[in-house]
Amino acid sequence: KSFLNHTAYLSCYFPNSQKTDIKDLRVFWQKGAVEVVHEVYYGQEIHDNLSPKYINRTKMDMDKWTLQLLNAGIVDEGQYTCIIQHRDKGSPKVIHTSECLLHIIANYSQPEIAWLHTGELKPNEYLNLSCSSSGGYPEPKHMTWLISRENKTDRLMGPMDVAQDAVTMLYNVTGRLNITVPTNTLTNISCLLHLGEQLGSLLSVPLGI
């Protein structure tokens, strides 16, 4: 995983137990089946075969056998393969391959609750709220509303609209809640945006009614 516009680190996982000299190895990275991302040819970095979008965006740490991909973007997501060949009697022989999957993360803004209501609230009328968060990646899983009164909290799932920006590829999300106006009890309403198991959740500032 890498944050958007940060450096992504992709490892070859090459133990080099034979302590082979880099001058006897050809190391190249490719994305998918066709795009060449980086190439070290018997100790020299060469750029002749690189896919244009990776030129001047990669660096190889030969001590750690790790590729640095600078300014990682959403279009860089995908599977990368590291292939190492040894110069064996003139004809190169593949001695190691490994694959890694790159996922890009962009932080969503803190969810914000807004009233979709004008005029005075009256008991037992319907209360319409929205909750919005923007500029994130990947697409969130769902949104939960937390309605807390006295010592009890109810969780409600509401509809969530998801829109992806065609240029930045980032997502904006808006959830909606429609409940009856609470009476005689202080009620706090929050919304929780679920981003997936490993990314956790984002909570709004509660709205008190």
Side-chain angles (χ1 to χ4, degrees), residues 111-117 127-133 143 145 159 161 173-178 189-191 204 207:
E112 283 188 21
I113 296 178
W115 295 88
L116 302 177
H117 191 93
L127 173 66
N128 292 311
L129 300 174
S130 73
C131 179
S132 302
S133 174
M143 188 180 280
W145 292 84
D161 297 325
V173 295
T174 302
R176 299 190 190 285
L177 178 69
N178 193 337
I189 299 176
S190 308
C191 71
S204 71
L207 176 73

Side-chain angles (χ1 to χ4, degrees), residues 93-127:
K93 184 173 91 178
V94 174
I95 59 168
H96 178 83
T97 61
S98 66
E99 294 177 341
C100 59
L101 204 55
L102 176 62
H103 295 284
I104 300 297
I105 303 162
N107 284 328
Y108 282 86
S109 62
Q110 184 181 17
E112 283 188 21
I113 296 178
W115 295 88
L116 302 177
H117 191 93
T118 53
E120 190 182 344
L121 280 180
K122 298 192 175 116
N124 299 319
E125 278 190 350
Y126 276 98
L127 173 66

Side-chain angles (χ1 to χ4, degrees), residues 16 35 38 45 74 91 100 102 135 142 150 157 170 173 188:
N16 197 16
E35 290 186 296
H38 194 86
E45 291 193 345
I74 291 168
S91 60
C100 59
L102 176 62
H142 55 268
E150 293 172 337
M157 293 275 286
L170 299 176
V173 295
N188 279 317

Side-chain angles (χ1 to χ4, degrees), residues 1 108 137-143 160 192-202:
K1 290 187 172 67
Y108 282 86
Y137 192 90
E139 186 176 350
K141 302 297 181 191
H142 55 268
M143 188 180 280
M160 184 174 76
L192 191 62
L193 183 64
H194 299 268
L195 303 174
E197 277 180 31
Q198 294 178 317
L199 298 176
S201 306
L202 287 174

Side-chain angles (χ1 to χ4, degrees), residues 32-103:
V34 291
E35 290 186 296
V36 178
V37 177
H38 194 86
E39 184 172 4
V40 182
Y41 189 81
Y42 303 125
Q44 297 293 315
E45 291 193 345
I46 61 170
H47 305 102
D48 304 357
N49 304 316
L50 297 191
S51 172
K53 69 181 183 190
Y54 293 107
I55 291 172
N56 297 327
R57 288 186 59 218
T58 57
K59 287 195 290 195
M60 185 83 187
D61 181 339
M62 300 310 294
D63 294 326
K64 297 180 181 169
W65 300 96
T66 298
L67 182 74
Q68 298 176 31
L69 176 59
L70 310 178
N71 198 28
I74 291 168
V75 292
D76 295 318
E77 278 199 319
Q79 185 159 293
Y80 290 78
T81 307
C82 168
I83 300 163
I84 300 178
Q85 297 175 335
H86 185 256
R87 186 170 7 208
D88 185 38
K89 299 190 181 74
S91 60
K93 184 173 91 178
V94 174
I95 59 168
H96 178 83
T97 61
S98 66
E99 294 177 341
C100 59
L101 204 55
L102 176 62
H103 295 284

Side-chain angles (χ1 to χ4, degrees), residues 144-187:
T144 307
W145 292 84
L146 307 176
I147 296 146
S148 303
R149 38 174 96 82
E150 293 172 337
N151 297 325
K152 185 177 169 220
T153 298
D154 291 321
R155 289 174 169 260
L156 294 179
M157 293 275 286
M160 184 174 76
D161 297 325
V162 179
Q164 187 176 26
D165 188 286
V167 178
T168 65
M169 310 286 286
L170 299 176
Y171 288 98
N172 298 325
V173 295
T174 302
R176 299 190 190 285
L177 178 69
N178 193 337
I179 58 167
T180 52
V181 174
T183 52
N184 304 327
T185 307
L186 174 63
T187 301

